[in-house]
Amino acid sequence: MPQYDYDLIVIGSGPGGQRAAIQAAKLCKRVAIVEKKTVLGGVCINTGTIPSKTLREAVMHLSGYRERSFYGSSYSVKQNITMQDLLFRTNLVIKHEQDVTRHQVTRNGVDLLEGWGSFADAHRVRVESSENHGSQELTAGKIIIAVGTAPTKSDAIPFDHETIFTSDEILNLSRLPKTLAVVGAGVIGSEYTTIFAALGVRITLIDKRPILLDFVDNEIADSLAYQMRENRVTLRLGEEVSSIEKLIDDHGTRVKIGLQSGKQVVAEKVLYSIGRTGNTWRLGLEHAGLSPDDRGRVKVNAHYQTDVPHIYAVGDVIGFPSLASTSMEQGRLAACHAFGVPAVSVPSLFPYGIYTIPEISMVGRSEEELTQANIPYEVGKARYREIARGQIIGDNTGMLKLIFHSETKQLLGVHVMGEGASELVHIGQAVLSFNRYDRLLPQHGFQLPDAGRVLQDRGAGRLESHGRINHYVAAAAVLPSLRRLSSAILSSPRLSARNRHGRHSAHRSATRALRRSTHWMPCP
């Protein structure tokens, strides 16, 4: 067997690369991460997930958005909010996450190599110093590509990073605009649209697709569109951009967007967010026998292997769903498969979170998917305004939607919109993994006034005795307690049948099972 410098080299330090490297290190492998920047974390920590979600929280707080149902639409914590106000909180969180990530990697014995990584051949990676300190070549038995993506740009658009910019440059804005046009109504475009709209910025959202977020349940997407319009967002869906040019007149520098329908949109600034392209242009994939698609993405199989079996790819560079959470799981699974360690995962039960205002999260299947598959179903809904907790926190617009099989009672999909949606969805994820709503939730109590209580009051209570699911079967809304979720799982028939020696013993058994399934074990 040939001798390599490392058992595994990971190119990229985002969520997928970081998780893959640490998982391999836990398996006592020699691991190195190649990162082109001086800081770790990739787009997720430095320009994408963490900054945008922190910016959202800063906006929600300073604008007083959560309190307006009590104190009126003019209420705000601070008048004349500036970008500097928003970035104060954002920069602190970014620096903290950078430090935590570096500590996690180094304490697991992973080597960090700063520089541009590229393939010299299928087992050899060239690392070129970012500061012109020369280059070195390293070999590895396994290689994982986790280089992430960059915003897609057009050469016909005069980007200047201040008036016309992408989501990666949004933190560099010197001031908040009064008007903003957002080109592209995907996840990123929709999130920033609602964030800036909450600050009172007049937004025009443009997308050539006829509906908003076409992978989201249509009812939830329609509700989000309604909330956007309530916040004075103008939606130009089904419209394609034909030109973007700067205007300089007595009103200063503005941007004019021409649409193919003949309409024109004029705004102070433009956020261009039509998608992202894989960061593979400098990777030298051809030297390893690989080639990306026209969007720079790498094709993989179910185990995240590329066409070259010992080379894997994870994260945004392989395409949808391009979420930090799914990227981390992909990294773990790829590392386990690379070293022959069994690992179990259920990609169909990965939850999606979209941090618009209001927040959206979902797991399982939508009405549209079930209709296309000819699966009979019933729908139950609960509104935040109907629940005490919704009134307490001032969220009157949120909703939760459950989709059941009309014959077997099996829960098929959970869709949430509102405060804490990305937390609440995990109860649905747990129930989906047990396959039966009527066996898991009705047996367990929920605190009052925490909204999880409605899982019994308006969920289990509506299951009719002869087995048909009532149209008004509803589920919880707002923030569930992790303690209640743990109690529901540990008290389930499957787990308790294995261990009948009390909650603490069951908890220890569950913990040991989790460790075995993830293979996070100390090295000898």
Side-chain angles (χ1 to χ4, degrees):
M1 180 179 293
Q3 295 296 313
Y4 298 108
D5 298 319
Y6 291 96
D7 298 310
L8 173 67
I9 290 179
V10 180
I11 305 177
S13 68
Q18 176 197 352
R19 184 70 180 272
I22 292 176
Q23 176 67 84
K26 296 290 185 181
L27 297 173
C28 309
K29 305 301 179 181
R30 296 167 298 156
V31 186
I33 290 179
V34 179
E35 171 55 52
K36 65 181 179 181
K37 295 184 178 181
T38 56
V39 293
L40 302 182
V43 168
C44 173
I45 288 179
N46 297 288
T47 60
T49 304
I50 299 301
S52 65
K53 280 52 179 178
T54 310
L55 191 70
R56 178 185 184 275
E57 285 302 310
V59 167
M60 295 287 279
H61 170 66
L62 293 175
S63 69
Y65 189 88
R66 290 189 177 99
E67 314 300 326
R68 289 179 183 174
S69 63
F70 299 114
Y71 306 119
S73 58
S74 63
Y75 175 79
S76 66
V77 173
K78 184 181 186 300
Q79 299 294 326
N80 301 319
I81 299 169
T82 66
M83 278 300 296
Q84 288 66 39
D85 295 327
L86 302 176
L87 292 178
F88 175 79
R89 180 172 183 166
T90 304
N91 289 334
L92 285 176
V93 174
I94 291 173
K95 290 178 181 178
H96 177 268
E97 290 301 304
Q98 289 171 346
D99 181 61
V100 168
T101 300
R102 181 174 291 273
H103 178 62
Q104 288 176 342
V105 170
T106 55
R107 80 183 183 202
N108 281 283
V110 177
D111 290 344
L112 299 177
L113 307 173
E114 182 186 336
W116 285 88
S118 61
F119 286 94
D121 59 41
H123 282 281
R124 191 178 302 273
V125 174
R126 180 181 297 111
V127 183
E128 300 178 44
S129 172
S130 304
E131 299 179 355
N132 297 320
H133 292 161
S135 63
Q136 59 178 321
E137 290 189 359
L138 301 166
T139 59
K142 310 288 183 181
I143 299 173
I144 294 180
I145 300 169
V147 293
T149 57
T152 301
K153 292 185 177 182
S154 169
D155 295 334
I157 297 174
F159 290 97
D160 62 4
H161 312 303
E162 176 63 28
T163 306
I164 305 173
F165 52 88
T166 68
S167 58
D168 279 6
E169 295 135 15
I170 206 162
L171 298 181
N172 298 326
L173 291 180
S174 58
R175 65 177 181 84
L176 287 171
K178 293 183 179 179
T179 59
L180 174 69
V182 179
V183 179
V187 173
I188 296 172
S190 297
E191 287 181 347
Y192 278 119
T193 290
T194 58
I195 289 171
F196 282 100
L199 291 170
V201 179
R202 296 297 298 269
I203 309 287
T204 301
L205 180 60
I206 306 166
D207 198 288
K208 65 181 180 181
R209 292 167 292 191
I211 60 175
L212 195 67
L213 299 172
D214 53 9
F215 64 93
V216 174
D217 184 271
N218 282 357
E219 184 177 11
I220 300 293
D222 288 344
S223 297
L224 176 63
Y226 173 80
Q227 294 302 324
M228 284 184 176
R229 292 187 176 100
E230 286 290 288
N231 282 335
R232 305 196 305 169
V233 174
T234 300
L235 297 179
R236 297 294 186 198
L237 302 178
E239 298 271 13
E240 193 162 353
V241 173
S242 59
S243 64
I244 298 179
E245 58 186 53
K246 289 185 181 180
L247 287 177
I248 301 177
D249 54 23
D250 295 339
H251 300 285
T253 300
R254 298 180 296 164
V255 183
K256 182 174 73 173
I257 301 175
L259 305 180
Q260 286 191 354
S261 64
K263 299 184 185 74
Q264 292 186 345
V265 176
V266 178
E268 281 188 40
K269 298 180 185 295
V270 171
L271 169 59
Y272 193 77
S273 179
I274 64 165
R276 299 182 69 88
T277 301
N279 275 325
T280 53
W281 61 277
R282 196 173 169 178
L283 203 53
L285 291 176
E286 65 277 5
H287 298 141
L290 298 172
S291 60
D293 66 11
D294 59 348
R295 295 294 294 269
R297 294 170 298 200
V298 180
K299 183 180 70 174
V300 297
N301 63 17
H303 302 294
Y304 306 102
Q305 288 174 293
T306 66
D307 292 337
V308 179
H310 69 273
I311 300 178
Y312 294 72
V314 299
D316 291 9
V317 75
I318 68 173
F320 187 85
S322 298
L323 300 172
S325 57
T326 55
S327 297
M328 293 177 73
E329 183 67 358
Q330 291 166 3
R332 181 185 76 86
L333 295 172
C336 287
H337 186 270
F339 298 109
V341 176
V344 178
S345 184
V346 187
S348 62
L349 294 184
F350 286 173
Y352 297 160
I354 303 173
Y355 291 84
T356 48
I357 301 174
E359 191 175 323
I360 289 175
S361 195
M362 58 206 162
V363 62
R365 307 174 78 173
S366 67
E367 282 197 69
E368 293 70 38
E369 291 172 329
L370 294 171
T371 299
Q372 291 176 3
N374 295 320
I375 296 175
Y377 65 87
E378 297 283 356
V379 175
K381 301 173 192 173
R383 305 282 179 178
Y384 279 30
R385 63 175 179 265
E386 300 170 342
I387 302 164
R389 189 64 180 172
Q391 297 296 318
I392 291 169
I393 66 173
D395 188 341
N396 298 321
T397 62
M399 65 175 288
L400 183 140
K401 176 178 180 178
L402 297 182
I403 306 176
F404 295 88
H405 195 291
S406 59
E407 297 170 358
T408 66
K409 304 182 186 178
Q410 181 181 359
L411 184 63
L412 301 174
V414 180
H415 305 267
V416 196
M417 184 182 76
E419 187 72 15
S422 60
E423 300 288 342
L424 175 61
V425 78
H426 292 114
I427 286 186
Q429 183 186 24
V431 176
L432 279 166
S433 68
F434 279 83
N435 291 325
R436 289 296 295 268
Y437 170 87
D438 59 330
R439 289 183 181 175
L440 183 60
L441 291 179
Q443 303 170 9
H444 305 286
F446 292 87
Q447 297 180 91
L448 187 71
D450 203 336
R453 175 79 188 181
V454 83
L455 280 162
Q456 286 190 316
D457 295 346
R458 304 190 61 209
R462 297 291 186 175
L463 285 171
E464 297 179 350
S465 60
H466 64 277
R468 190 178 74 83
I469 297 174
N470 190 286
H471 280 278
Y472 293 98
V473 172
V478 206
L479 296 171
S481 155
L482 291 179
R483 183 176 299 172
R484 293 200 317 280
L485 176 57
S486 299
S487 174
I489 295 173
L490 293 176
S491 303
S492 69
R494 292 190 182 185
L495 189 57
S496 60
R498 295 182 181 180
N499 193 324
R500 302 184 182 278
H501 303 294
R503 288 175 57 88
H504 297 291
S505 182
H507 178 73
R508 288 193 296 270
S509 297
T511 303
R512 287 195 296 270
L514 177 63
R515 288 174 178 168
R516 287 195 298 270
S517 66
T518 55
H519 302 283
W520 279 43
M521 59 194 78
C523 296

